[in-house]
Amino acid sequence: MKPIAITTEPIALSQFLKLAGCIDTGGQAKALLAETPVLVNGEPENRRGRKLYAGDRVEVPGFGAFTVEVVKT
């Protein structure tokens, strides 16, 4: 599982997917979530605005599993 570092929480799922390298732009999140069974903490999720917090786990088929990690700046 790959940790993705953010500096402030929460972060929207669409922004997280961009940071994780699953999509190139935030606008692609809608299509990805409609076509791919993304899991957040083991539950199916299709809302691009879903708020993620430290410790949340995101699984994206074809890209892998990620965790949200908050780093202090």
Side-chain angles (χ1 to χ4, degrees):
M1 186 169 344
K2 180 180 176 187
I4 303 297
I6 61 173
T7 55
T8 59
E9 65 179 342
I11 184 171
L13 179 57
S14 61
Q15 293 172 320
F16 183 83
L17 292 171
K18 186 175 173 185
L19 284 177
C22 300
I23 56 176
D24 293 323
T25 67
Q28 293 174 331
K30 185 175 182 178
L32 176 75
L33 292 169
E35 299 170 2
T36 307
V38 174
L39 300 178
V40 175
N41 298 325
E43 298 291 325
E45 185 58 70
N46 62 1
R47 297 173 296 161
R48 61 185 177 175
R50 161 76 185 263
K51 301 298 183 197
L52 302 175
Y53 298 88
D56 282 346
R57 178 185 168 127
V58 178
E59 297 176 57
V60 184
F63 293 97
F66 309 91
T67 56
V68 179
E69 182 179 288
V70 177
V71 292
K72 303 288 182 182
T73 57

